[in-house]
Amino acid sequence: MQAYLVLYKDGRPDLSVPVPESGAGIGREAGNHVQLASPEVSKRHALLKLSAMKWYVRDLDSRNGVFVNGKRVREAIVQHGDKLTIGPYTLVFETAAPGSHNVMAIDFSSNIAMRTMSTPRDKIGGDGNGNRTDKP
């Protein structure tokens, strides 16, 4: 069962992070699977893990706690749609069938320009020199 932590911004999904069944650390430190950059988040704040076909979130002795649907928890089972609050962040726990969830991968490598999608010039009426030849 594939799981995701989804960060919403202005009521729309802004970032979706797939959570491996082996577990995902959540915290401020760079070694976490989900890194949340805020002083209100501990370096190693929480762990999300699948066990016995159920997803669990566990507070790793954080200073400000972990909240599931507004209730502070030490450890709790999480289900599709539950809201996890960690510091100033609210993450929605979502489950989906494999391949049914859109995940955006960002390529920061130096050859990204070679793989950028563009429209062929013949489809927009270009003359080969960057000038459009079709008139509206």
Side-chain angles (χ1 to χ4, degrees):
M1 171 180 20
Q2 182 63 60
Y4 301 86
L5 284 177
V6 182
L7 177 64
Y8 283 79
K9 189 174 186 178
D10 299 324
R12 300 177 64 182
D14 187 52
L15 178 65
S16 178
V17 180
V19 179
E21 291 182 358
S22 60
I26 304 168
R28 192 177 71 240
E29 201 168 58
N32 289 289
H33 190 78
V34 179
Q35 186 179 4
L36 302 174
S38 169
E40 295 174 47
V41 177
S42 296
K43 290 179 182 179
R44 295 193 55 219
H45 201 102
L47 177 67
L48 188 61
K49 190 169 183 174
L50 181 67
S51 178
M53 297 304 293
K54 293 182 182 179
W55 285 97
Y56 292 83
V57 65
R58 182 172 11 120
D59 187 341
L60 299 176
D61 297 323
S62 67
R63 183 181 49 212
N64 293 317
V66 174
F67 296 80
V68 176
N69 299 324
K71 180 181 176 187
R72 189 171 182 157
V73 298
R74 186 88 176 98
E75 182 172 276
I77 294 172
V78 290
Q79 299 177 28
H80 179 80
D82 283 347
K83 294 179 181 178
L84 283 67
T85 305
I86 297 176
Y89 301 94
T90 298
L91 304 160
V92 178
F93 179 78
E94 295 184 0
T95 57
S100 67
H101 203 277
N102 295 327
V103 176
M104 182 173 65
I106 301 172
D107 184 352
F108 290 105
S109 66
S110 59
N111 60 355
I112 186 63
M114 295 170 54
R115 294 190 308 268
T116 301
M117 183 173 34
S118 62
T119 305
R121 289 195 201 292
D122 64 334
K123 300 291 183 198
I124 61 169
D127 64 2
N129 296 315
N131 302 311
R132 291 187 69 153
T133 56
D134 59 334
K135 301 292 180 196

